[in-house]
Amino acid sequence: MGRNRTRTDPDRYLTKRQGNFHYKRRVPVTIAHLDERAPHVRTSLKTDDRGLARRKRDLLEAADDALWASLITKGVTDPARRRYEAAVKRVEALDFTFHGAGYFEQPEAFDDLVDRLRHVLATGQQDQIMEPLLGAIEVPKMTVSKAFELYCDEIVADELVNKSQVQKDQWKKVKKRAISNFIRLVEDKPMEEITIDDAKKIYRHWLARIAPKEGKATAGASSGNRDLGNMRVLYEAYFKHMGDARRLNPFEGLGFSLKKKRSRPPIPTDWIRDTVMKPGNLATLNEEARGILLIMIETGARPSEICNLEPHAIRLSNKVPHLSIEPREDPDNPREIKTESSRRLVPLVGVALAAAQRHKAGFPLYRNRENDLSATLNKYLRANALLPTKSHTVYSFRHSFEDRMKEGGLEDELRRLLMGHTVDRPKYGSGGSLDWRRRELMKIVLPFDPSIV
């Protein structure tokens, strides 16, 4: 065992001594003078389980690859970064978490420090593992922009897996604004050098826009809170990832009071019935956008939920025709829905049923193009005077649907379920049959001329 060193050998670099597996690997001759462990790296894996030994071996192998690459490149890439990554992998292989040296200065870290020292003494490998285990490895400095790249590509990469490309772009766009504003107002400085004064500079920038001493406000509190919040999250996540979770966050506690949350006004029911749904008023809107709008009127579904419906989610052959609003789980073309409570079945009634029958295959023109859809609908509705005021948008139809359900006497839990809102109690049953939901919605269905579809 341990003689075959090809990458395909599942037991490469593994030897067994006194019942336990060890990792043993020759240091490349070209850098043997730079690695004090030469000619061989030896580490006890503290296990007799072959599967666990292989997993630990993989971490150590990756650590040594990174370390040796840093010694070979001599600055062509980032040697300090490679050495740090190698230290992290080496510590993880020993079943510990990497922490910077500052962590061990905290009284709360005393027990952890003792455990690590005991491990070092027990293995007799002080030269190989002392520095990584005790954080005596320089943590490479990284600028705000580079830290954001690391955040997206590594720290929260798992959160982006199920998002569509449009959703990923939108997610990054909001957070990148905070990064860009910080760089513009401060500089693209190393994360370690960000101070409370830097954070206050961002706070004062937004304060001047939210509550100017003279003139009108040019921004709302939510915009400032979003920037400060995104910087706070990035700072915390970055240093936790780098093994320094206890570092004080300069953005902590900075924010603005939200006295009143603006919400889109609903469109009056008579306006929808007599103006929007008046024959001819939607005639020049392209068919798919028109179909989405008509479905929205009688389902309250979000435009993005409707335009991304797959054909199998438009269930017209069921006893109760309905939409199944759900995430798209195609690994090549995934898409999240807003929250888990957004997963729901919504009966099709009135003009929504007629529009769905016309668009059985969904809306390919706007699939993964929800931003284009919203722009198209808002532009058309404004250009044709189909919105009551400048404050109304296409999203106001969703609020109108909720108001119509309330005025129609539909119970609160059903309204929440159909809107995709959280129900504030433990979930029991399915929330009522589709037939019952349809009967309730028929209480508020609007009359329509079939020609508008």
Side-chain angles (χ1 to χ4, degrees), residues 64-348:
D64 283 330
D65 286 346
L67 174 62
W68 293 336
S70 74
L71 297 176
I72 293 171
T73 56
K74 294 182 180 178
V76 175
T77 56
D78 184 351
R81 177 74 188 169
R82 287 183 177 273
R83 283 193 289 273
Y84 162 76
E85 291 174 347
V88 171
K89 290 185 175 71
R90 199 174 308 285
V91 171
E92 289 175 348
L94 299 173
D95 291 331
F96 289 94
T97 298
F98 179 85
H99 291 293
Y103 163 79
F104 297 105
E105 297 174 3
Q106 305 292 328
E108 300 91 333
F110 179 75
D111 290 342
D112 191 6
L113 176 61
V114 171
D115 287 343
R116 292 171 188 241
L117 290 172
R118 284 174 176 165
H119 183 87
V120 171
L121 294 173
T123 57
Q125 298 172 339
Q126 290 91 331
D127 293 342
Q128 296 183 31
I129 64 176
M130 175 77 84
E131 288 189 349
L133 267 181
L134 302 186
I137 298 291
E138 180 183 1
V139 177
K141 292 184 177 181
M142 187 175 287
T143 62
V144 172
S145 59
K146 291 294 184 182
F148 181 64
E149 290 179 12
L150 176 71
Y151 179 74
C152 296
D153 297 341
E154 188 170 328
I155 299 176
V156 295
D158 59 314
E159 296 180 22
L160 304 180
V161 169
N162 294 320
K163 292 184 185 294
S164 68
Q165 190 58 52
V166 170
Q167 290 176 318
K168 289 178 184 177
D169 291 343
Q170 187 64 29
W171 181 90
K172 287 185 180 180
K173 178 182 177 181
V174 175
K175 290 170 174 54
K176 201 164 187 178
R177 187 192 72 175
I179 308 303
S180 298
N181 281 338
F182 182 89
I183 293 172
R184 177 172 59 85
L185 296 168
V186 184
E187 63 175 299
D188 193 11
K189 65 193 307 184
M191 293 288 289
E192 292 80 0
E193 297 177 13
I194 295 176
T195 66
I196 183 64
D197 289 336
D198 296 328
K200 285 182 177 178
K201 187 175 288 189
I202 305 301
Y203 174 83
R204 287 193 292 269
H205 162 76
W206 282 106
L207 180 63
R209 298 189 61 190
I210 295 166
K213 294 180 179 179
E214 296 180 2
K216 293 183 178 181
T218 58
S222 60
S223 295
N225 286 339
R226 192 174 295 118
D227 261 23
L228 288 165
N230 281 325
M231 286 302 301
R232 182 164 53 248
V233 168
L234 173 65
Y235 193 94
E236 179 181 349
Y238 171 78
F239 283 106
K240 182 178 181 181
H241 184 74
M242 302 299 277
D244 192 4
R246 296 172 184 268
R247 180 181 285 256
L248 292 178
N249 193 325
F251 297 94
E252 192 65 43
L254 294 179
F256 303 97
S257 174
L258 285 169
K259 296 292 185 182
K260 183 179 179 182
K261 185 178 179 181
R262 286 192 306 171
S263 62
R264 300 175 184 86
I267 299 174
T269 301
D270 57 355
W271 181 277
I272 297 175
R273 183 186 62 237
D274 302 333
T275 301
V276 178
M277 296 173 65
K278 182 179 179 180
N281 279 359
L282 297 176
T284 56
L285 178 61
N286 76 74
E287 284 194 12
E288 289 194 21
R290 182 168 67 246
I292 292 167
L293 178 61
L294 295 176
I295 289 175
M296 187 179 184
I297 287 173
E298 291 291 21
T299 64
R302 300 174 179 92
S304 59
E305 293 173 333
I306 301 172
C307 72
N308 283 293
L309 286 168
E310 296 292 321
H312 67 80
I314 303 174
R315 301 175 178 175
L316 299 172
S317 60
N318 283 59
K319 180 181 178 182
V320 177
H322 64 277
L323 303 179
S324 176
I325 297 174
E326 58 194 30
R328 189 166 59 223
E329 297 176 346
D330 180 353
D332 297 323
N333 185 27
R335 185 181 182 278
E336 287 183 339
I337 53 178
K338 188 172 183 180
T339 61
E340 184 56 31
S341 59
S342 295
R343 187 191 294 262
R344 63 200 189 277
L345 303 178
V346 184
L348 289 164

